[in-house]
Amino acid sequence: IGDESSMKQIRVPKDQLTYTILNLVPGTRYQVVLRQVKNGVSSEPGQLEASTDISSLGNIWLTEETENSLEVEWENPEGEVDYYKLKYLTPSGQQTEVAVPKSRDVKSRYIITDLQPSTMYQITVWSVKDGLDGKSSSANGTTEIDRP
C-alpha cells in the first residue's frame, strides 16, 4: 500500500486457482486486486489487504552478567521495525516489559538493571512494526553472587 510505481501485474492462467506472491518485504501491508479478463474485458475488481509477518530476530545472548544487571544483545531482523520489546521474568513469576529503541547496527543491546543477585531471569525479545508483534527469541541469564 502506498507508492503506485511499486505495483506489479501478474497474469494467472484461468485453470490456476491459487497464486503465491514471492519476494515480499517482511512487515509490509499489501493490497491485492483480482480481475477476471475475458475477450479483453475486465470484471469489477475484487480486493483484499494482507500483511507479511514481521521479521524474526536473529540469535540472542548475554554479553555481561553482574550482581544486579544483565546485558542482552541480539541480531536485528532484516526487515524494518519500529522498536523492540524486551520482557524479563523471575523464577517467582514477576515480569517486567520495556520498549527498546531500534538500532541502526546489525545488533541491538539492552542492559537490565536493578536485579537481585544470584537470580536466574528468562529474557524474551521481539520486534514491533505498525503495532504488530514479531516472533520472539529468548535466553536465560543469571546475575552474579552478591560480593561481601
Side-chain angles (χ1 to χ4, degrees):
I1 294 181
D3 186 9
E4 285 196 26
S5 67
S6 64
M7 289 178 49
K8 294 182 183 175
Q9 187 173 8
I10 301 164
R11 290 181 183 254
V12 180
K14 66 180 179 181
D15 59 342
Q16 187 173 339
L17 299 177
T18 63
Y19 184 84
T20 301
I21 304 170
L22 302 174
N23 302 317
L24 300 177
V25 178
T28 302
R29 188 174 311 150
Y30 291 91
Q31 182 175 25
V32 179
V33 178
L34 181 64
R35 291 189 172 131
Q36 181 180 6
V37 179
K38 186 173 183 178
N39 298 328
V41 178
S42 293
S43 68
E44 287 295 317
Q47 299 187 88
L48 71 92
E49 282 188 17
S51 297
T52 51
D53 286 339
I54 297 170
S55 294
S56 299
L57 301 178
N59 293 323
I60 179 173
W61 62 93
L62 281 89
T63 56
E64 187 174 354
E65 299 168 335
T66 69
E67 297 168 4
N68 56 14
S69 71
L70 296 170
E71 183 173 5
V72 186
E73 194 168 273
W74 60 90
E75 295 171 351
N76 293 335
E78 290 182 27
E80 281 293 313
V81 302
D82 295 331
Y83 61 96
Y84 301 98
K85 284 186 183 175
L86 181 144
K87 175 176 71 174
Y88 56 97
L89 186 67
T90 65
S92 66
Q94 179 183 357
Q95 85 176 22
T96 303
E97 187 174 296
V98 295
V100 180
K102 68 180 180 178
S103 168
R104 292 181 188 213
D105 293 337
V106 295
K107 295 183 267 185
S108 290
R109 70 177 48 91
Y110 185 79
I111 300 173
I112 306 168
T113 58
D114 299 324
L115 302 177
Q116 298 298 314
S118 191
T119 303
M120 186 181 82
Y121 293 87
Q122 180 184 14
I123 302 153
T124 305
V125 180
W126 62 96
S127 52
V128 179
K129 182 164 187 335
D130 296 330
L132 300 172
D133 292 345
K135 294 179 183 169
S136 63
S137 294
S138 297
N140 291 327
T142 304
T143 50
E144 292 184 352
I145 297 172
D146 196 7
R147 295 184 184 145

